[in-house]
Amino acid sequence: MKSRLKDAVIIGGGIIGAACAEALSRAGLQVALIERLGLAAGASSACQSGVGFGISKDDYTLRLHLAAVRAYQEFTADGTDVDYCHHGTILVGEPDEETELKASLQRLRDISVRCEWLDESTLREAEPALSPEICGAARFEDMGQVSPMRVVNEMVRRAIRKGAEIHTNTEVKGIEVSSGKVTAVVTSQGRILSELIVVAAGAWSRQIGELVGLRVPVWPLKGHILVTEPVRGMLRHYVTETGYEATVAAMQAASIDAAGPRPGSPQTAAVLQNLPSGQILIGSSREFAGFDREVNRERLAQIATRAERLVPGLRRLRIIRTYAGLRPWTPDGLPLVGRTAQVEGMVFATGHGGNGNTLALITARLVAELMTGQATTLDTTPLSPDRFEMNGL
Amino acid sequence: MPNPIPALGKVIVDGQEIDILPGDTLGACMMRAGVLATRRSRSGQLRGLYCAIGVCNECLVSVDGIDNFRACMTVAEPGARVDTGREPG
Amino acid sequence: MTVSPKKHLVVAGGGPAGISAATRAAQRGIAVTVVDEYDRLGGQYFRGRQESTAAGSPRHFFRESPSVQIIANGVVVDTPTKGVLSVWKQGGSVQSLTYDALVVATGAYDRTVALPGWTLPGVLTAGGASTLAKAHGVTPGRRMLVAGSGPFLLAVADDLSARGCDVQVVEATPLRTSVGGLPTIARDPVITRQTMGYLLRLRWRRVRRRYASMVTAIHGHDRVEAATIHRVDSAWRPISGSESTIDVDAVCLGFGFVPQLELAQALECTIGYWEESSDFYVKTDEAMRTSQANVFAAGEVTGIGGVQVAKAEGCLAGLTAAYDLGLIEKSSYDAEVRQLTRRLVRARRLGDWIRRAYRPRAGLWSLADAQTMLCRCEDVTMQSTEEALAHNPATPYAVKTATRAGFGLCQGRICSPYLIEWLRARHGYRVPEEERPWRVRPPIRPVPVGAWLTDRE
């Protein structure tokens, strides 16, 4: 690649980077996307891919996720096929959580979220595969799932049609800064001149930040998945348990020292995703283990055990594959979306934790709005990278 | 060609009775009876035994209501109810 | 006086290589366990040949090695730590096996060749058709083609025609290729007798043999009804205008074999690749040691070579395992190794000739058209594959993630060897040193969720 001039360079070819490439090239920018390995080689090919939201007490996070779900509905309204289904999510809680859950559901209904409590007989009909020991659960109508790999490929296709360049198997070696402004990206295939860099490198965004002397608060949070053989319509919904949010919260409580978040106890919670192709993705787990993607057998067993408790029929299904992926975790559980004042021209679209798939389209829209000076779909202040002290390595 | 070995019993494949000979897998007795198709693929194509040694997973049949048995590796038990021609997953 | 416990050798795979290794090691005082996925030993070679008592046969094995433990209907599904295997038994649970040495003898399966109509019921691999005929006396039809490349086609045609089928052999190489192997065959009296037997019986049964020809399309609605045959050039490219279509009700495709490498990969043994013949294999030294300490490999996994190579390699692996565990004196080991090595070198002559002479040529990878399936599990067509490559680099990884090829039940065993060669032939893909072929995590074979559960209170 000869030295060339681009309006924007996107670092990272996962779902966030690909969506940003499409949004920015659709907005008229000349874009180059740089990916170290292949498209979707990071978390985007090693995840579960529900599209939805937790019962968060935080009003902003909820609004962000609702906008995210709407973005998927709009994206697929013309028939675009990325395996997006909004079959709904069932959230199973412990018996003593019923009152609190019902209250949360009412609060959500008050802001027009479509959700309801299913009592035992309704639940049996709605999701017959659930354990008979479960007497009730919450159901969220507009949640669903998507295929991140298909989203990546569709976004890349569209971006290329709008003139974007995609460079895979290309490493970022350095970022040139002059008088506090980004001027170029140095890659293993040559230099690209640009005054705008979008860092969408997921768990590797911290390493990118180091190239310009920034301490980006993103660290890998490892998760495990077991994949079953294809089965005909075993689950009608995305199925998860309230324990899931507890695992997320437990990780958010991690203390961070110079080396990053302290490991603490690994967390597991059942999350079940029946793909359109029939396989069930069985998750989930959370632990800080650096960049190690080897599967931990004990963790797999823990996940299987929690899952089988919710859906006993899983017991006889065969597991055909397992994998581990690295979520880009941030200390406050919100992504970094937007410019940093520390380096002019440096934009972040990263740190989505376990919500990357859900938030990909809304993130790309926000980034495009910010870069083209438009009013943003929602307030991006809570997502500002500069809410963290990033200066000085 | 007349077969002097007596049948062990029968399996019922899609409602049709098929003889089992000693040592038969489901795939073997079905093939002997001229039943080649074991399932429909994701896009609706009929499929049957291909590798016959348990690697390809094309010969998946339902046995007594449970899916995803490899016909080429599953011993034929008398009385088993086998269903084919279905969508996987 | 303390008696030190016997050393334990696990042999993964009970075919000719595996049982040869088990016999040789047991003779030297090692406790041996053989794990095999079938209910009887012998691998594919001895299916339907259970009465054989030749060295390396199951009956010979049971006579010579009564104390060897056998886990039948079992398969190694995980290698959690060094020296430990997880074995899954059909209908049972996962058990742990510790080993001091391990022989990987997991055999091979037919090479995939995608061509129009290859997914129709009635299209089988040559190996599959042979197994069904020998083990169960069944054939997929009455009037069929045995198409592909290599002397194995003769064996399969023999098996099928013996059961009354009307068979034609369609060999991709010209006659002179097979004639060129006569000197190699002639040096082995057993193989000579076998080959003469095939040729005489096939002639007697009026089995037509076509050379420099390939099946280029298979036709039918719900099953095979006809096939198109083209004459081909030396690169196996169909010669336009040379086609003929004949009525058949089954087609057996036999283009050689590919090794089952998953266990070796899970153990992180170094895997090699012969570009000229499109063969992956487990790398070993001359005594069958892999790159992992106390892990040996024998048989088809070290390179497709046939049964005599498998037996010799198995003996060598079992012997070397015993030696490396300190159970044989060096002079005794050296003498036996010399003898086995001579036998192995002789046996490899035939296997090496077959590999070179009948290696896949470029035309093989151009038979598939847009509608031809690449991945049978997920129904990914060649067209989807081409579309994915419009905006992706030409790598198996990119095709897999863009199309879901390889994500189904067989986990890429059928489509990935073909995909690699198709990418090499048509898109300049080069197999990299460090990526051989796809990463293997547990389970190596499917295992029910029930076997993964932690202990309940």
Side-chain angles (χ1 to χ4, degrees):
Chain A
M1 164 204 325
K2 304 202 265 284
S3 272
R4 62 233 301 188
L5 180 61
K6 292 287 161 188
D7 297 323
V9 173
I10 298 170
I11 300 176
I15 197 172
I16 305 295
C20 286
E22 190 275 336
L24 289 177
S25 51
R26 182 161 34 93
L29 276 69
Q30 294 284 308
V31 170
L33 184 148
I34 311 295
E35 162 54 52
R36 182 172 68 100
L37 296 171
L39 293 176
S44 295
S45 61
C47 58
Q48 282 177 298
S49 49
V51 175
F53 45 89
I55 305 190
S56 172
K57 299 182 186 62
D58 167 355
D59 179 56
Y60 176 79
T61 307
L62 200 48
R63 279 194 297 120
L64 177 65
H65 283 247
L66 288 171
V69 171
R70 265 198 305 278
Y72 269 101
Q73 288 167 347
E74 286 161 21
F75 179 65
T76 55
D78 65 357
T80 297
D81 185 9
V82 285
D83 284 341
Y84 175 64
C85 329
H86 52 266
H87 39 48
T89 292
I90 286 201
L91 174 65
V92 176
E94 297 298 324
D96 58 2
E97 290 173 325
E98 184 173 324
T99 317
E100 198 189 314
L101 269 176
K102 282 177 165 168
S104 298
L105 290 175
Q106 187 54 54
R107 275 199 299 277
L108 288 168
R109 276 199 295 272
D110 290 343
I111 57 167
S112 306
V113 172
R114 301 199 295 173
C115 56
E116 55 184 330
W117 178 260
L118 301 179
D119 66 17
E120 192 164 357
S121 57
T122 329
L123 182 61
R124 208 57 56 222
E125 229 188 273
E127 193 59 82
L130 280 177
S131 163
E133 286 177 22
I134 298 170
C135 311
R139 182 173 181 270
F140 298 84
E141 233 181 280
D142 294 312
M143 298 197 194
Q145 61 172 300
V146 76
S147 164
M149 290 179 279
R150 289 194 70 177
V151 173
V152 168
N153 277 276
E154 178 62 25
M155 292 310 196
V156 162
R157 250 198 305 270
R158 293 185 185 196
I160 289 174
R161 277 206 291 266
K162 297 282 188 192
E165 282 179 13
I166 311 292
H167 301 281
T168 52
N169 292 299
T170 303
E171 252 185 87
V172 171
K173 297 290 207 192
I175 296 174
E176 290 172 5
V177 176
S178 174
S179 308
K181 251 172 67 155
V182 163
T183 55
V185 180
V186 180
T187 78
S188 53
Q189 308 280 357
R191 230 160 128 252
I192 308 176
L193 305 172
S194 181
E195 293 184 346
L196 183 59
I197 295 178
V198 179
V199 180
W204 294 268
S205 293
R206 186 174 177 80
Q207 291 169 16
I208 300 298
E210 283 167 5
L211 297 174
V212 291
L214 293 178
R215 289 176 306 170
V216 178
V218 174
W219 288 276
L221 180 63
K222 184 177 181 183
H224 288 77
I225 306 286
L226 301 93
V227 184
T228 72
E229 57 188 322
V231 277
R232 288 170 299 136
M234 182 173 209
L235 298 174
R236 300 173 189 180
H237 301 80
Y238 203 82
V239 176
T240 181
E241 53 174 341
T242 51
Y244 176 79
E245 297 219 7
T247 69
V248 175
M251 293 287 110
Q252 292 313 136
S255 55
I256 306 172
D257 61 26
R262 305 262 292 279
S265 317
Q267 305 282 314
T268 59
V271 180
L272 304 172
Q273 178 179 356
N274 204 160
L275 298 178
S277 52
Q279 292 91 335
I280 298 180
L281 304 184
I282 304 178
S284 65
S285 76
R286 283 168 153 70
E287 63 198 290
F288 293 112
F291 285 89
D292 172 45
R293 285 184 63 183
E294 287 308 307
V295 292
N296 178 314
R297 276 87 172 153
E298 198 190 324
R299 208 71 61 238
L300 295 174
Q302 288 163 343
I303 293 171
T305 303
R306 287 201 78 91
E308 193 264 353
R309 223 179 108 247
L310 287 191
V311 178
L314 289 175
R315 194 173 248 274
R316 60 163 178 82
L317 291 189
R318 289 173 300 163
I319 300 298
I320 62 177
R321 186 165 91 98
T322 62
Y323 55 85
L326 303 174
R327 306 174 184 82
W329 177 94
T330 61
D332 64 1
L334 281 174
L336 278 62
V337 181
R339 297 180 193 277
T340 170
Q342 303 295 332
V343 178
E344 199 179 324
M346 200 77 166
V347 174
F348 288 91
T350 190
H352 291 79
N355 299 308
N357 295 314
T358 296
L359 297 176
L361 301 189
I362 193 68
T363 297
R365 182 185 302 173
L366 291 172
V367 168
E369 287 165 349
L370 288 168
M371 297 307 105
T372 56
Q374 295 173 64
T376 52
T377 300
L378 70 170
D379 177 24
T380 57
T381 316
L383 307 179
S384 165
D386 288 332
R387 70 189 190 271
F388 297 107
E389 175 52 69
M390 296 201 292
N391 209 1
L393 266 177
Chain B
M1 202 158 40
N3 199 327
I5 305 165
L8 274 186
K10 296 179 197 293
V11 291
I12 303 119
V13 178
D14 296 335
Q16 171 195 349
E17 284 191 341
I18 289 179
D19 283 335
I20 309 170
L21 294 186
D24 266 359
T25 57
L26 289 175
C29 68
M30 284 167 66
M31 186 172 278
R32 192 181 299 107
V35 177
L36 285 189
T38 51
R39 70 182 194 104
R40 279 198 189 275
S41 73
R42 203 173 298 293
S43 62
Q45 292 181 348
L46 277 180
R47 300 283 170 82
L49 270 74
Y50 169 69
C51 80
I53 59 169
V55 172
C56 73
N57 282 276
E58 283 281 61
C59 61
L60 301 179
V61 293
S62 244
V63 180
D64 294 333
I66 300 175
D67 288 342
N68 293 351
F69 280 94
R70 290 170 297 173
C72 70
M73 301 293 280
T74 306
V75 172
E77 303 279 3
R81 261 180 21 254
V82 178
D83 293 292
T84 73
R86 298 167 123 182
E87 292 282 301
Chain C
M1 174 182 109
T2 49
V3 177
S4 50
K6 263 182 155 184
K7 298 289 188 180
H8 186 214
L9 170 72
V10 173
V11 178
I19 56 186
S20 299
T23 307
R24 209 44 90 107
Q27 281 168 359
R28 296 312 190 129
I30 304 183
V32 181
T33 302
V34 176
V35 180
D36 193 82
E37 65 176 331
Y38 283 103
D39 57 1
R40 48 191 75 183
L41 298 180
Q44 299 309 324
Y45 184 78
F46 283 102
R47 300 291 294 278
R49 275 197 186 99
Q50 291 286 314
E51 70 292 342
S52 166
T53 51
S57 70
R59 286 183 70 164
H60 182 265
F61 167 73
F62 283 118
R63 211 176 51 211
E64 299 297 310
S65 325
S67 63
V68 171
Q69 292 292 307
I70 302 186
I71 299 178
N73 297 306
V75 66
V76 178
V77 293
D78 194 8
T79 57
T81 54
K82 268 202 178 9
V84 181
L85 297 176
S86 303
V87 175
W88 158 248
K89 247 190 97 85
Q90 203 56 41
S93 58
V94 174
Q95 69 180 101
S96 263
L97 271 189
T98 54
Y99 61 88
D100 299 295
L102 169 64
V103 174
V104 176
T106 45
Y109 58 103
D110 290 77
R111 183 189 289 282
T112 297
V113 174
L115 59 108
W118 75 294
T119 57
L120 277 170
V123 179
L124 271 76
T125 59
S130 170
T131 288
L132 285 165
K134 288 186 321 193
H136 301 289
V138 296
T139 65
R142 301 305 302 167
R143 191 176 147 74
M144 60 194 62
L145 300 178
V146 176
S149 183
F152 183 61
L153 300 185
L154 301 180
V156 177
D158 186 40
D159 291 331
L160 296 171
S161 58
R163 285 161 179 87
C165 296
D166 175 352
V167 180
Q168 287 191 41
V169 175
V170 183
E171 163 64 57
T173 62
L175 177 57
R176 62 176 178 275
T177 300
S178 300
V179 168
L182 286 176
T184 309
I185 290 172
R187 289 166 87 174
D188 186 329
V190 173
I191 298 292
T192 302
R193 256 200 312 278
Q194 196 180 56
T195 309
M196 294 307 301
Y198 292 145
L199 293 171
L200 285 170
R201 287 192 295 274
L202 293 180
R203 166 152 296 202
W204 171 253
R205 296 178 198 137
R206 298 181 194 284
V207 171
R208 179 177 170 185
R209 300 196 312 277
R210 302 174 189 236
Y211 289 90
S213 303
M214 293 212 300
V215 169
T216 51
I218 304 170
H219 314 283
H221 183 59
D222 288 342
R223 63 164 299 162
V224 175
E225 289 163 13
T228 298
I229 300 170
H230 272 79
R231 288 192 56 85
V232 299
D233 64 21
S234 60
W236 294 7
R237 289 189 210 281
I239 296 169
S240 113
S242 71
E243 64 264 27
S244 56
T245 298
I246 64 174
D247 290 338
V248 287
D249 60 5
V251 176
C252 308
L253 298 172
F255 286 95
F257 300 95
V258 294
Q260 300 224 41
L261 293 176
E262 290 84 14
L263 175 57
Q265 289 171 269
L267 293 161
E268 297 181 30
C269 299
T270 304
I271 307 291
Y273 179 67
W274 286 309
E275 269 195 26
E276 64 279 5
S277 57
S278 305
D279 286 312
F280 288 95
Y281 63 98
V282 182
K283 281 192 170 177
T284 64
D285 67 9
E286 64 289 340
M288 313 318 301
R289 296 180 186 92
T290 69
S291 60
Q292 291 294 329
N294 294 320
V295 177
F296 306 82
E300 307 282 65
V301 293
T302 65
I304 307 298
V307 67
Q308 300 304 336
V309 170
K311 289 179 183 179
E313 288 190 351
C315 291
L316 198 38
L319 185 74
T320 307
Y323 174 66
D324 283 359
L325 291 175
L327 293 160
I328 317 177
E329 256 190 58
K330 188 172 193 317
S331 53
S332 168
Y333 173 70
D334 284 346
E336 219 172 312
V337 161
R338 262 197 303 277
Q339 196 190 41
L340 279 173
T341 304
R342 271 200 300 274
R343 188 178 134 194
L344 182 53
V345 166
R346 272 201 313 273
R348 278 192 180 137
R349 275 200 297 259
L350 183 67
D352 287 347
W353 167 70
I354 291 174
R355 181 161 13 93
R356 272 194 318 275
Y358 299 97
R359 68 191 184 279
R361 307 313 200 271
L364 191 56
W365 319 114
S366 64
L367 297 177
D369 65 17
Q371 299 320 307
T372 306
M373 282 302 169
L374 165 68
C375 169
R376 301 172 67 128
C377 294
E378 298 277 316
D379 275 10
V380 178
T381 61
M382 296 310 302
Q383 183 173 345
S384 298
T385 308
E386 291 279 14
E387 282 168 8
L389 293 179
H391 62 273
N392 271 297
T395 62
Y397 169 82
V399 171
K400 180 184 171 193
T401 47
T403 66
R404 292 189 58 82
F407 279 22
L409 255 171
C410 91
Q411 288 292 290
R413 284 176 174 85
I414 298 297
C415 66
S416 91
Y418 176 83
L419 177 62
I420 288 170
E421 298 309 319
W422 183 86
L423 286 169
R424 280 186 65 219
R426 298 170 65 87
H427 290 273
Y429 172 70
R430 300 216 57 182
V431 177
E433 280 292 323
E434 63 283 356
E435 204 192 282
R436 290 280 160 90
W438 291 356
R439 213 148 119 212
V440 174
R441 288 183 209 89
I444 295 170
R445 288 291 189 96
V447 177
V449 168
W452 297 77
L453 304 180
T454 59
D455 292 327
R456 315 281 213 138
E457 308 91 286

